[in-house]
Amino acid sequence: MSDTQSILSIAKRTIEIESKAIANLVDYLDDQFAEAVQHILECNGRVVVSGVGKSAIIASKIVATLNSTGTPAIFMHAADAIHGDLGTVQQNDVVICLSKSGNTPEIKALIPLIKLRKNKLIGITGNMDSILAKQADFTLNTFVEKEACPNNLAPTTSTSAQMAMGDALAICLLELRGFSRDDFAKYHPGGTLGKKLYLRVSDIASQNQKPKVSVNSSVKEVIVEISEKMLGATAVINEDKVVGVITDGDIRRMLKKYDNISTLTAKDIMTQNPKSVTKDTLAVKALELLQEKGITQLLVLDGDEYHGVVHIHNLINEGIL
């Protein structure tokens, strides 16, 4: 039975081998990498990414990264390409082939077909003496000294290097295109990531009840309003303007301070100049403000008008936190 230290030692060794290999890629970047990026940037078609085996899986990941960062891409399995799927490649497309050895039979069969169609070919390979390296228009070197596998067989370090090189391509293209946070939000409308990029406090506040009392409301009215609206706070309004906020904490502090609360009104116990955000504020920014101030709710304003309340629990439920 393996003990904990042995398991951790294997895991650390694996990560160290792979991280060193990825760091070494910096020394392999050259003019061909820059030319490949420039060609993709200027092409009017898509990027078709292909591979076999584990390289095919990495190719699919690179496609996903390119698509999500503004570069249209599509996956084509090299084996399927030579059995009918070559029609995936259109006239203006750029083809990227991934292969550690650069000499796999499917890649060797695919290369002349791509060249015949006059599509530009980018090779990502760890063997600079391979057919892929020599036939590609641009060759990106992903050489690794050894796999993390102790038998030096299972693709581990080599696939990590391929993925890192793909990320380098995607991020170069992203920055050169001026791909912004707003662009990113358009490509990621769903899930937590999308919500962080586009969800605004108005979207949340509009789903909540809208607690409010006047400056002359009694303490009982204040407590009832906070309890019924279930947001732990209420805005205090005077002549249609927000002048304060009363929270559960304010109620507790009032009870400790006063023996007789029958004559108190909202203006006596409210906190003036309450923390607030405009309705167009991103929900993630509202969360940052809540965490910075150590509070649980913010008033939401539409110009000078009271729009509602956003509570930290709303942000948790939306997956922002």
Side-chain angles (χ1 to χ4, degrees), residues 250-263:
D250 292 318
I251 297 298
R252 289 191 294 272
R253 284 185 287 273
M254 173 199 69
L255 293 173
K256 289 181 64 176
K257 183 176 180 181
Y258 297 99
D259 292 327
N260 182 8
I261 62 172
S262 61
T263 60

Side-chain angles (χ1 to χ4, degrees), residues 26-84:
V26 172
D27 296 329
Y28 303 148
L29 294 174
D30 56 17
D31 290 348
Q32 289 208 41
F33 179 90
E35 290 168 6
V37 170
Q38 194 63 41
H39 186 78
I40 295 173
L41 196 64
E42 294 173 355
C43 89
N44 296 320
R46 306 159 303 173
V47 178
V48 181
V49 191
S50 187
V52 180
K54 302 300 187 296
S55 292
I57 296 171
I58 301 303
S60 293
K61 188 274 177 187
I62 292 173
V63 165
T65 302
L66 289 170
N67 279 323
S68 70
T69 53
T71 298
I74 189 169
F75 170 72
M76 178 181 69
H77 197 284
D80 293 334
I82 60 177
H83 291 286

Side-chain angles (χ1 to χ4, degrees), residues 3-296:
D3 60 25
T4 299
Q5 289 306 314
S6 295
I7 292 171
L8 292 177
S9 177
I10 295 168
K12 290 176 182 179
R13 183 189 70 219
T14 301
I15 293 171
E16 286 171 355
I17 291 171
E18 295 194 358
S19 62
K20 181 180 178 181
I22 291 173
N24 287 341
L25 294 181
V26 172
D27 296 329
Y28 303 148
L29 294 174
D30 56 17
D31 290 348
Q32 289 208 41
F33 179 90
E35 290 168 6
V37 170
Q38 194 63 41
H39 186 78
I40 295 173
L41 196 64
E42 294 173 355
C43 89
N44 296 320
R46 306 159 303 173
V47 178
V48 181
V49 191
S50 187
V52 180
K54 302 300 187 296
S55 292
I57 296 171
I58 301 303
S60 293
K61 188 274 177 187
I62 292 173
V63 165
T65 302
L66 289 170
N67 279 323
S68 70
T69 53
T71 298
I74 189 169
F75 170 72
M76 178 181 69
H77 197 284
D80 293 334
I82 60 177
H83 291 286
D85 281 5
L86 191 60
T88 300
V89 182
Q90 300 300 302
Q91 182 177 359
N92 296 319
D93 291 344
V94 179
V95 180
I96 298 177
C97 284
L98 282 74
S99 173
K100 177 187 177 182
S101 71
N103 290 318
T104 54
E106 296 86 353
I107 295 295
K108 288 167 68 175
L110 182 58
I111 290 170
L113 299 174
I114 294 170
K115 304 293 283 186
L116 183 65
R117 298 167 69 96
K118 300 188 185 304
N119 295 93
K120 290 294 184 181
L121 174 61
I122 300 171
I124 297 181
T125 180
N127 181 4
M128 297 304 285
D129 292 323
S130 65
I131 290 175
L132 177 58
K134 293 177 179 178
Q135 293 293 318
D137 296 288
F138 314 101
T139 301
L140 312 185
N141 188 354
T142 53
F143 171 76
V144 297
E145 291 184 3
K146 60 181 178 179
E147 301 287 1
C149 165
N151 299 313
N152 198 29
L153 294 173
T156 46
T157 310
S158 58
T159 49
S160 296
Q162 290 175 343
M163 187 177 297
M165 189 63 76
D167 286 343
L169 280 172
I171 299 306
C172 284
L173 292 163
L174 177 154
E175 294 198 18
L176 290 171
R177 292 185 195 281
F179 197 78
S180 67
R181 287 178 61 90
D182 289 340
D183 295 320
F184 210 77
K186 293 174 186 176
Y187 285 82
H188 298 79
T192 301
L193 179 58
K195 288 180 179 180
K196 286 183 177 181
L197 293 169
Y198 77 83
L199 188 67
R200 302 186 184 277
V201 292
S202 58
D203 300 321
I204 298 173
S206 61
Q207 300 177 38
N208 289 334
Q209 299 189 72
K210 192 176 176 180
K212 61 179 180 179
V213 296
S214 72
V215 289
N216 296 316
S217 295
S218 67
V219 169
K220 179 180 178 180
E221 291 171 327
V222 171
I223 294 174
V224 169
E225 184 70 0
I226 293 175
S227 299
E228 288 184 347
K229 301 300 168 58
M230 298 184 294
L231 289 168
T234 180
V236 182
I237 308 297
N238 185 35
E239 297 181 354
D240 297 325
K241 305 295 181 187
V242 175
V243 294
V245 66
I246 300 174
T247 67
D248 287 336
D250 292 318
I251 297 298
R252 289 191 294 272
R253 284 185 287 273
M254 173 199 69
L255 293 173
K256 289 181 64 176
K257 183 176 180 181
Y258 297 99
D259 292 327
N260 182 8
I261 62 172
S262 61
T263 60
L264 297 178
T265 61
K267 67 181 178 182
D268 298 318
I269 60 174
M270 71 180 186
T271 299
Q272 298 184 42
N273 302 315
K275 299 293 183 296
S276 64
V277 290
T278 64
K279 69 173 188 175
D280 293 327
T281 302
L282 286 171
V284 68
K285 293 296 183 183
L287 174 61
E288 291 173 4
L289 182 58
L290 287 169
Q291 292 175 322
E292 177 188 338
K293 301 299 181 183
I295 55 180
T296 56

